Amino acid sequence: MYQLAMGTRIRRSPYFEATQAEGVTAFSTYNRMYMPTSYGDPEAEYWRLIEGVSMWDVAVERQIELSGPDAGVLAQALIPRMMDRCKVGQGRYVPICDHDGVLINGPIALQLAEARYWLSIADSDLVLWARAIAAERRLDVQVFEAQIAPLAVQGPKAEDVIASLFGDWARDIKLFWFQETEVDGIHLYLARSGWSKQGGFELYLSDPTQGVHLWNLVKEAGAPCGIGPGAPNQSERVESGRRSYGADTDSLSTPFEVRMSRFVDLDAPDDAVGIGALRDIASRGAARHQLGVLLPEGPMLPRYDSWFTLTRDMEVVGKITSAAWSPRLKRNIGMALVSTDCAPGDTAQALLTEGPVDVQFVELPFL
Amino acid sequence: MYQLAMGTRIRRSPYFEATQAEGVTAFSTYNRMYMPTSYGDPEAEYWRLIEGVSMWDVAVERQIELSGPDAGVLAQALIPRMMDRCKVGQGRYVPICDHDGVLINGPIALQLAEARYWLSIADSDLVLWARAIAAERRLDVQVFEAQIAPLAVQGPKAEDVIASLFGDWARDIKLFWFQETEVDGIHLYLARSGWSKQGGFELYLSDPTQGVHLWNLVKEAGAPCGIGPGAPNQSERVESGRRSYGADTDSLSTPFEVRMSRFVDLDAPDDAVGIGALRDIASRGAARHQLGVLLPEGPMLPRYDSWFTLTRDMEVVGKITSAAWSPRLKRNIGMALVSTDCAPGDTAQALLTEGPVDVQFVELPFL
């Protein structure tokens, strides 16, 4: 275990003091912000997410705002989906690709108003990309990182907590849709969204001085349901087959490789960045795809922090991109990016630090 | 102190195992890679840099390569300096700005060949920016992150170490110039460069499998000079007034605010991104500038990890962007971004976590 060096280059969340008070023990960084990853009891944090309700500082989900007369034109230029089918109040999971069709982010795009969008981004500087496209196309639009800090409430009891805090109307919010609202004088957008498959909501806080206040309101409302602190959970994420941009994608990954084909509209307008390349790739087929891997049965392996090569008959066929212990499956599992020659049921060798081990490919998700 | 959570989203350096063997204790992240920041003895690491020689894993300095027929056109489009004055084998410190003249990175631009450049970047995804500009302008150029891992040798005895390893010819390399060479079969570029004011070199390794080998060669060559491991040093950096992109700049900073005016050529071509905005800002003058701050005398304060507001007569005049204990000045010092109404000699109040304290502005650098 290494210490995290802290400095001004990487930013603090508005919930930072609240997470300190909860006993946060570990952080990663994401979009140049500190992201809590553990409160010292991984087992409890996992089961709270799976069976109860957990609250997470995910202020690192930065919102890239597009606003102004050409905001819709820019959104459509950036996103290879038909954006005219998106409605105000709706969010959609979208791939963002470069001109070669390579994934450079995978945000939720939220339409706030006729000419105002947020891209709730994964870990890359999409603001630079969007600003370059806007300026080079001479669009009349502002592109900036909005000072918005999401707080996630995740798990099967999340809806009860949110309903007790905001009212039963919140139960009717559909997946990825959102509603502008307030609680105890704190302005926010309430969205059904989150970095887990266990269901839940995200509270998009707009006043950073209210972070601790909002945290404590959610904590109080969640107390009857046994709410506690948590973070995006590696075990749950791999079990659920949820890709993490930058971990499960590399500098060549297209949406088709990582099970995002259904989020690409090949009939998107010709001036959507990358659409031509995506049509070509779709017609000839991707060379790699994403599968699950079952690691050998046995005790929990160390947390993997680098990609591991996969071979078959001495030839490299791909790599394990994320791995974790699954408390529900009681074994080590992973996600892999491999040649389309590899199919579920096939076996391969994984070159782990501890030595080579046999693995089996399976369909994703595991659970 | 918090633990660093590690995973596949943030990448390891080719020197990772070597730094483990040296006893690395802390990391930050930079360009989505783990960057060693301490080996557990900050005092020794500081004095080794100031009086001896130190070796650093700075693989996080990623090289964005521009290559192909239009590489020079793209370099000039990205950089508001006259790039036709740059020569093959030469590096230059350059600001990179968006279309509004706001700094988005501050790399060293190295010209490797007539139509091949590296931008040795600070901590932002310049590859996305450069790729967007290139594609939207339909330039015939490849833009990608090259698999290059710099190893820095810094301090007054660095030249002796490098000369003993490569030969006395290396003593003639001028600041920011570089030479393609090899050592013990390892191909690399040797540059006089580095993240300190104490002088030194950077070894740009191109084969990541040779990281530990190269580390050990440098360690052995440096043994007679007492070389030891280190990292970019916050105390030395603040004493030397060296800005860190993202720490000492914010989302509004232009080159003129942070003492980079001499790196902008206002007569750069009209199609250089941001040049029009930079000419406007230059003619009306920047609203903020960068000064040093002397914090009250007394013991070493905790390492600051967030910006602190500066006020004068109850009005906000700016913020302390970096702070550190200076072992040579034996006091706490900082760098500040403040209104141009503030001048060296003036005093202000800094709203630290511990409470407000009086500070005095001074010229940068301190040493």
Side-chain angles (χ1 to χ4, degrees):
Chain A
M1 277 296 184
Y2 298 104
Q3 284 175 5
L4 170 70
M6 300 186 85
T8 50
R9 181 175 45 81
I10 299 176
R11 301 163 293 174
R12 283 184 182 191
S13 151
Y15 307 112
F16 186 79
E17 284 78 15
T19 61
Q20 280 184 306
E22 298 286 350
V24 62
T25 57
F27 287 89
S28 182
T29 65
Y30 199 97
N31 284 323
R32 271 187 296 288
M33 287 185 80
Y34 297 107
M35 174 171 72
T37 58
S38 181
Y39 292 79
D41 189 347
E43 188 82 5
E45 290 162 35
Y46 173 84
W47 289 109
R48 201 180 278 149
L49 168 62
I50 302 298
E51 299 183 338
V53 57
S54 182
M55 58 189 294
W56 305 350
D57 169 4
V58 286
V60 301
E61 278 177 42
R62 307 310 294 163
Q63 309 305 309
I64 306 307
E65 180 160 334
L66 321 178
S67 57
D70 289 334
V73 176
L74 179 59
Q76 185 61 83
L78 297 175
I79 298 169
R81 292 186 73 174
M82 298 298 285
M83 290 304 290
D84 57 1
R85 294 180 197 152
C86 194
K87 295 184 174 60
V88 172
Q90 187 180 7
R92 296 169 90 196
Y93 182 41
V94 299
I96 302 222
C97 297
D98 69 11
H99 296 73
D100 297 327
V102 170
L103 270 174
I104 57 172
N105 208 291
I108 306 292
L110 299 94
Q111 186 165 5
L112 297 160
E114 198 54 47
R116 187 169 173 232
Y117 294 81
W118 281 344
L119 300 173
S120 184
I121 60 170
D123 187 24
S124 77
D125 290 336
L126 195 64
V127 68
L128 295 182
W129 178 262
R131 201 176 278 175
I133 303 292
E136 292 292 311
R137 296 192 179 187
R138 299 178 193 285
L139 301 181
D140 186 4
V141 57
Q142 300 291 311
V143 180
F144 58 96
E145 187 185 287
Q147 294 313 303
I148 300 296
L151 177 66
V153 182
Q154 299 285 299
K157 297 182 184 168
E159 189 176 297
D160 290 343
V161 175
I162 292 299
S164 81
L165 192 57
F166 292 93
D168 274 329
W169 62 268
R171 297 186 189 272
D172 299 329
I173 298 176
K174 288 177 286 186
L175 184 63
F176 294 144
W177 287 68
F178 59 92
Q179 181 73 50
E180 190 170 4
T181 184
E182 64 154 49
V183 57
D184 204 20
I186 306 173
H187 172 261
L188 54 81
Y189 291 83
L190 177 63
R192 191 182 287 268
S193 188
W195 277 353
S196 85
K197 202 182 172 182
Q198 310 312 313
F201 292 80
E202 290 186 332
L203 287 60
Y204 288 74
L205 173 69
S206 56
D207 178 356
T209 69
Q210 296 295 312
V212 176
H213 182 188
L214 180 62
W215 181 280
N216 289 332
L217 286 175
V218 172
K219 183 179 178 175
E220 199 177 319
C225 294
I227 203 168
N233 190 287
Q234 176 82 349
S235 293
E236 190 275 342
R237 182 177 79 71
V238 178
E239 289 171 342
S240 302
R242 294 175 71 91
R243 72 198 72 72
S244 171
Y245 172 78
D248 301 305
T249 62
D250 62 21
S251 61
L252 299 173
S253 295
T254 66
F256 308 114
E257 286 188 344
V258 289
R259 300 178 301 124
M260 291 180 74
S261 302
R262 70 182 187 283
F263 304 115
V264 175
D265 292 333
L266 293 177
D267 55 351
D270 288 345
D271 58 359
V273 171
I275 191 65
L278 290 168
R279 289 176 190 145
D280 289 348
I281 300 163
S283 72
R284 68 169 189 267
R288 298 186 296 181
H289 64 163
Q290 196 175 38
L291 293 175
V293 289
L294 290 171
L295 288 148
E297 304 223 30
M300 180 166 24
L301 287 166
R303 167 76 181 263
Y304 295 116
D305 59 6
S306 64
W307 289 334
F308 287 105
T309 299
L310 288 165
T311 65
R312 206 166 54 173
D313 303 330
M314 310 294 281
E315 262 184 52
V316 173
V317 292
K319 57 196 175 192
I320 298 179
T321 56
S322 291
W325 171 257
S326 166
R328 284 179 287 177
L329 299 174
K330 297 189 174 48
R331 64 186 299 168
N332 297 291
I333 57 173
M335 291 165 70
L337 196 54
V338 293
S339 160
T340 48
D341 294 340
C342 300
D346 291 356
T347 55
Q349 279 215 314
L351 310 182
L352 306 186
T353 311
E354 304 84 56
V357 297
D358 290 324
V359 301
Q360 186 178 26
F361 295 118
V362 295
E363 291 282 6
L364 286 170
F366 291 93
L367 289 170
Chain B
M1 278 294 185
Y2 297 105
Q3 285 176 2
L4 170 69
M6 300 185 86
T8 49
R9 181 175 46 80
I10 300 177
R11 300 164 293 174
R12 284 185 180 190
S13 151
Y15 308 111
F16 186 79
E17 284 77 17
T19 62
Q20 280 185 306
E22 298 285 351
V24 61
T25 57
F27 287 90
S28 183
T29 65
Y30 199 96
N31 284 325
R32 269 187 297 289
M33 286 185 81
Y34 296 108
M35 175 171 72
T37 59
S38 181
Y39 292 79
D41 189 348
E43 185 87 352
E45 290 163 35
Y46 174 84
W47 289 110
R48 202 179 280 150
L49 169 62
I50 302 298
E51 299 182 338
V53 57
S54 182
M55 59 189 291
W56 306 349
D57 170 3
V58 286
V60 300
E61 279 177 42
R62 306 312 293 163
Q63 309 305 309
I64 306 307
E65 180 160 336
L66 320 178
S67 57
D70 288 335
V73 176
L74 179 58
Q76 185 62 83
L78 297 174
I79 298 169
R81 293 186 73 173
M82 297 300 282
M83 291 304 289
D84 56 1
R85 293 180 197 151
C86 193
K87 295 183 175 61
V88 172
Q90 186 180 7
R92 297 169 89 196
Y93 181 41
V94 299
I96 301 223
C97 297
D98 69 12
H99 297 73
D100 296 326
V102 170
L103 270 174
I104 58 172
N105 207 292
I108 307 292
L110 299 93
Q111 187 165 3
L112 297 160
E114 198 55 48
R116 187 169 172 230
Y117 293 80
W118 281 343
L119 301 172
S120 184
I121 60 170
D123 187 23
S124 77
D125 290 336
L126 195 63
V127 68
L128 295 182
W129 179 262
R131 201 175 279 175
I133 303 293
E136 293 291 311
R137 295 192 180 187
R138 300 177 192 284
L139 300 181
D140 185 5
V141 58
Q142 300 292 311
V143 180
F144 58 95
E145 187 185 286
Q147 295 312 306
I148 299 295
L151 175 67
V153 182
Q154 299 284 299
K157 297 181 184 168
E159 191 177 296
D160 290 342
V161 175
I162 292 299
S164 81
L165 192 57
F166 292 93
D168 274 330
W169 62 266
R171 296 185 190 274
D172 298 328
I173 298 176
K174 289 178 286 185
L175 184 62
F176 294 144
W177 287 67
F178 59 93
Q179 181 73 50
E180 191 170 3
T181 184
E182 64 154 47
V183 58
D184 203 19
I186 305 173
H187 172 260
L188 52 79
Y189 291 84
L190 176 64
R192 191 181 287 269
S193 187
W195 277 352
S196 85
K197 202 182 172 180
Q198 310 312 311
F201 292 80
E202 289 185 334
L203 287 60
Y204 288 74
L205 172 69
S206 55
D207 177 356
T209 68
Q210 295 295 312
V212 175
H213 181 188
L214 181 61
W215 181 280
N216 289 332
L217 286 176
V218 172
K219 183 179 177 176
E220 197 178 317
C225 294
I227 203 168
N233 189 286
Q234 176 82 348
S235 293
E236 191 274 345
R237 183 178 78 74
V238 177
E239 289 171 342
S240 302
R242 292 174 74 91
R243 73 198 71 71
S244 170
Y245 173 78
D248 301 305
T249 62
D250 63 22
S251 61
L252 299 173
S253 295
T254 66
F256 308 114
E257 285 189 343
V258 289
R259 302 179 300 125
M260 290 180 75
S261 302
R262 71 182 186 284
F263 303 115
V264 175
D265 292 334
L266 293 177
D267 54 352
D270 287 346
D271 59 359
V273 170
I275 191 66
L278 290 167
R279 290 175 189 144
D280 289 349
I281 300 164
S283 72
R284 67 169 189 267
R288 299 187 297 182
H289 63 163
Q290 196 176 39
L291 293 175
V293 290
L294 290 171
L295 287 147
E297 304 223 31
M300 181 166 25
L301 287 166
R303 168 77 181 264
Y304 294 118
D305 60 5
S306 65
W307 289 337
F308 288 105
T309 300
L310 288 164
T311 66
R312 205 164 56 172
D313 304 329
M314 310 295 281
E315 262 183 53
V316 173
V317 292
K319 58 196 175 194
I320 297 179
T321 56
S322 291
W325 171 257
S326 167
R328 283 179 287 177
L329 299 173
K330 296 188 173 51
R331 64 185 300 169
N332 297 291
I333 58 174
M335 291 166 68
L337 196 54
V338 293
S339 161
T340 48
D341 294 342
C342 300
D346 290 357
T347 56
Q349 280 216 315
L351 310 181
L352 306 186
T353 311
E354 304 85 58
V357 298
D358 290 323
V359 301
Q360 186 177 26
F361 295 117
V362 295
E363 291 281 6
L364 286 170
F366 290 93
L367 287 169

